[in-house]
Amino acid sequence: MDTEAVIALATHCMPEQDDRKRALRTMKTFSGSSHPPPVKATRAVLTIQSGADAGRVVPLSHTKSNSIGRADECTVALADARLSRVHAQIHFAGGAWILSDEGSTNGTFVNGVRVEKYSAIGDGARILLGGTVSLRFAFMTEDEERALGRVYDAAMRDGLTGAYNRKALDERLASECAFAQRHQTPLSIVLLDVDNFKAINDQYGHLAGDSVICEVAARLARAVRTEDVVGRYGGEEFVVVARDIALDKAAQLAERLRRILSSEPVVHEEKPITVSASFGVASITCCGEKADVRSLFAIADQRLYAAKRGGRNRVVAEKA
């Protein structure tokens, strides 16, 4: 039945003329607003389209400058060795969004044109930094931003713990390794494995095992620096990527994490479960001439198993 027919039927059933008029006005208003006006896309964001952070959406501030570069303090911090520490800035002024190159070594491009100093950017602008890092400037609604954030998290995060997944870890570590080699800076990883995890599952059940894994991830995340990366590498195995930390400091970090994990039990359904982990620590300096991700992981893995063989709940940070 169409709208006019509905209105006619409703008013015919009402005895008073005034009531009919009021109903007519109300129903016309309702029928005319059945499709609310679209929400205007006013939120300015950058979408990262390449590298380890591909898919991440970063909201931009209207009131202060938004810095882009490899420095941790940048608004958009990107772990790419080819970027300058502060490579570019984006700010809102005079009713327009402006991008500025901050004297970068490898250049900034907007829609294929190199930015000498300033360039206005509009919805859909393609930004290329250092010839390799691709970004897209766009306006979107809050709902669109949230939806893209969920897509990114699903691609990068472990579904159980919220820590980075193996794919994200591999990409991030490759980028960090390239940066450390190029700039001759320290890079270490801490590889850890929850002790006797099968026994925990067998004794308390798999839901309890999930609780243990989630709590381990949460404790690790709370204990590391903001610039460090915590990821679940698989099963009960986790990795901490520690930028600018040499082997001795990474060993101290691992020992602190070991104590945190074993300091108190994980409680599942009012049952305390004792938890500990074994740690293997390696630095890029341990790899000799063949300093790559594979060799770095291999060394950390060897030391992890040395910790297991040595009695578990310990840190090994030297040649096994």
Side-chain angles (χ1 to χ4, degrees), residues 79-304:
D80 192 295
R82 289 154 291 197
L83 298 186
S84 300
R85 286 187 57 78
V86 179
H87 197 100
Q89 302 260 5
I90 294 178
H91 59 278
F92 185 74
W97 287 92
I98 308 296
L99 180 143
S100 62
D101 181 87
E102 298 299 309
S104 66
T105 302
N106 297 322
T108 302
F109 300 80
V110 173
N111 296 329
V113 178
R114 182 159 188 164
V115 177
E116 297 302 329
K117 186 55 183 175
Y118 300 103
S119 174
I121 53 175
D123 191 21
R126 305 284 177 173
I127 300 168
L128 188 66
L129 306 179
T132 57
V133 177
S134 178
L135 310 170
R136 183 176 182 269
F137 176 83
F139 298 111
M140 60 181 58
T141 66
E142 187 175 352
D143 286 345
E144 288 171 334
E145 182 185 339
R146 279 199 298 263
L148 286 177
R150 288 194 292 269
V151 171
Y152 173 75
D153 284 343
M156 303 294 284
R157 300 282 182 175
D158 172 59
L160 178 64
T161 65
Y164 282 101
N165 60 27
R166 181 163 180 167
K167 174 182 177 294
L169 273 171
D170 287 342
E171 292 176 350
R172 181 62 180 266
L173 193 53
S175 178
E176 293 286 359
C177 194
F179 177 86
Q181 288 179 294
R182 178 174 177 179
H183 295 277
Q184 297 298 297
T185 55
L187 174 67
S188 297
I189 64 170
V190 176
L191 185 60
L192 64 118
D193 189 87
V194 178
D195 294 329
N196 301 311
F197 186 69
K198 184 179 182 303
I200 291 174
N201 276 332
D202 291 343
Q203 182 175 352
Y204 299 99
H206 288 279
L207 290 180
D210 287 348
S211 293
V212 168
I213 292 298
C214 289
E215 180 60 20
V216 167
R219 291 184 190 181
L220 293 174
R222 290 194 297 265
V224 301
R225 306 171 302 168
T226 55
E227 60 265 39
D228 295 331
V229 174
V230 176
R232 185 182 181 196
Y233 207 63
E236 64 272 24
E237 195 169 48
F238 290 85
V239 178
V240 178
V241 181
R243 181 195 293 180
D244 287 330
I245 290 185
L247 183 64
D248 58 340
K249 297 295 183 183
Q252 293 175 19
L253 168 64
E255 177 59 26
R256 183 163 62 86
L257 295 177
R258 186 195 67 78
R259 291 176 180 174
I260 289 171
L261 293 184
S262 60
S263 62
E264 57 182 297
V266 174
V267 178
H268 175 76
E269 295 182 347
E270 301 182 352
K271 297 176 183 177
I273 303 172
T274 301
V275 176
S276 68
S278 301
F279 294 75
V281 185
S283 174
I284 199 168
T285 56
C286 303
C287 302
E289 294 182 0
K290 190 180 180 182
D292 57 19
V293 174
R294 183 176 299 226
S295 56
L296 185 61
F297 253 101
I299 293 170
D301 195 51
Q302 290 169 6
R303 294 174 180 177
L304 167 62

Side-chain angles (χ1 to χ4, degrees), residues 54-65:
R56 180 159 65 99
V57 178
V58 183
L60 300 178
S61 172
H62 280 75
T63 59
K64 61 182 181 180
S65 186

